[in-house]
Amino acid sequence: MAPGDSNEARLTELLCLSAATLLADLGVQPEWRTGVRQPPPTGESVAAFSGFANNELRGSFAFLGPRKLFARLHPLPQTMTLRDWADWARELVSQAVGRFCNRLLAYGVQLATSVPQGALAKEVRLASSLDPARSPILFTIEGLVLEGWLELDIAPSFRLEESPLHEARAALREGTIVFF
Amino acid sequence: MNNKAVLVVDDSLTVRQQVGLTLTSAGYQIVEACDGQEAVDALRAHAEVAMVLCDVTMPGMDGLEFLETIKGDAAGPPVPVVMLTTDGSPDLIARAKRAGAKGWIVKPFQPHLLLAAVRRIAGEPG
């Protein structure tokens, strides 16, 4: 993150990095870009979103993509049923938001998260309810596009530190196991 | 063949399947619950449950409320609980520890490491 970037730009970059590392852990190497729109996806899509909030920052993150992309990312080789698609999309978005919140802890930002929700849809298109000019984050994976939508509602008092300051408060990293 | 049962508590079917596949391959039996209240009921109904793997963020009763509920439940002997979640917050980990959890695993998990953790908690050779 470059010094001087806006809170929103830096939060967006943290979210992109969180989602990209999650996808990499699932065995794919996504390329991601922002500021680009694309035509509404045709055919059946899967969407899921999860929210997060504290007193100064609230928002949500959504994934939208074709069913076959979610199948590609699924950890178990199996024939997926209708409920599997939405379930897996919910888990994916939950893990992406979880990573985002874990990274923010090192900046002194603690967020509560919501239970994720998922849906199946045809020819659906997501759009920002807060900022009509906002565009999705596009993750390109083996020729398929996964849209990520980050909604942010930031209080004027909120300020994201330029770099992580609270190493002692940093979250456990993904895959860590601790015993008490 | 292992005859111990593990209660897997997660609102995600995918995660329950992932954990179930990992543990049944090592001979464990699996009991499933999709939220904290179902987990409380499952513990009362399945005396064979030797440990619990439990998500934190779930609809209804969440994982930490589940922990705090069974801590105050005098109906049976304590069963070790390990939290399995995307959250790595030190505050939540401290709360789980205070409520009696025996461990914390941040998703995603590596199957062989999850199995080693279950064996350790179950007091079995790795």
Side-chain angles (χ1 to χ4, degrees):
Chain A
M1 292 187 290
D5 280 357
S6 70
N7 282 327
E8 179 160 336
R10 296 164 64 232
L11 288 166
T12 300
E13 184 174 351
L14 273 178
L15 190 284
C16 288
L17 290 170
S18 301
T21 56
L22 167 64
L23 295 168
D25 281 350
L26 294 167
V28 297
Q29 296 301 321
E31 294 179 5
W32 56 270
R33 58 198 169 127
T34 58
V36 182
R37 285 179 182 270
Q38 65 166 20
T42 57
E44 290 187 317
S45 299
V46 185
F49 71 93
S50 180
F52 48 84
N54 66 16
N55 289 336
E56 296 181 303
L57 172 66
R58 65 188 176 95
S60 64
F61 183 63
F63 272 139
L64 170 68
R67 278 196 350 185
K68 63 180 176 181
L69 179 52
F70 285 91
R72 169 66 182 86
L73 298 172
H74 200 280
L76 302 174
Q78 62 176 336
T79 302
M80 294 175 75
T81 65
L82 279 178
R83 73 172 184 163
D84 292 332
W85 297 107
D87 179 83
W88 175 226
R90 280 196 303 269
E91 181 62 21
L92 263 186
V93 86
S94 172
Q95 291 197 21
V97 169
R99 285 178 187 233
F100 174 61
C101 295
N102 287 342
R103 275 151 188 71
L104 281 174
L105 276 173
Y107 292 81
V109 178
Q110 183 147 18
L111 294 165
T113 58
S114 72
V115 175
Q117 303 295 327
L120 301 175
K122 283 188 178 176
E123 297 180 10
V124 66
R125 182 168 196 179
L126 298 179
S128 171
S129 60
L130 298 174
D131 178 3
R134 186 170 286 152
S135 59
I137 305 156
L138 301 181
F139 298 92
T140 304
I141 300 163
E142 299 172 3
L144 300 170
V145 175
L146 181 65
E147 281 189 30
W149 277 91
L150 178 63
E151 286 277 11
L152 292 170
D153 188 1
I154 305 172
S157 57
F158 177 81
R159 178 176 172 274
L160 184 64
E161 302 289 351
E162 295 289 349
S163 57
L165 297 176
H166 300 263
E167 290 300 337
R169 286 195 49 78
L172 291 182
R173 300 300 298 225
E174 294 75 29
T176 302
I177 299 177
V178 293
F179 298 102
F180 308 139
Chain B
M1 186 68 183
N2 194 322
N3 60 4
K4 288 185 176 174
V6 177
L7 172 59
V8 181
V9 190
D10 201 303
D11 56 325
S12 167
L13 173 66
T14 306
V15 172
R16 296 199 307 274
Q17 288 174 332
Q18 269 186 295
V19 174
L21 196 64
T22 300
L23 299 185
T24 53
S25 69
Y28 288 93
Q29 300 173 51
I30 298 297
V31 178
E32 295 186 20
C34 357
D35 60 37
Q37 186 57 56
E38 269 195 22
V40 170
D41 297 341
L43 267 186
R44 290 172 179 157
H46 294 273
E48 72 276 20
V49 169
M51 73 170 288
V52 182
L53 288 169
C54 186
D55 191 12
V56 171
T57 304
M58 295 181 288
M61 183 189 290
D62 69 27
L64 294 173
E65 291 167 335
F66 162 72
L67 254 183
E68 289 157 355
T69 299
I70 62 167
K71 185 182 180 186
D73 189 344
V79 175
V81 179
V82 174
M83 310 310 289
L84 176 61
T85 175
T86 59
D87 204 313
S89 160
D91 288 351
L92 291 183
I93 293 169
R95 185 177 156 197
K97 191 176 175 182
R98 281 196 303 273
K102 296 298 182 191
W104 190 281
I105 301 172
V106 185
K107 293 176 184 173
F109 63 86
Q110 295 290 323
H112 68 286
L113 295 178
L114 177 73
L115 185 55
V118 167
R119 284 179 167 148
R120 174 175 166 158
I121 293 293
E124 295 171 348

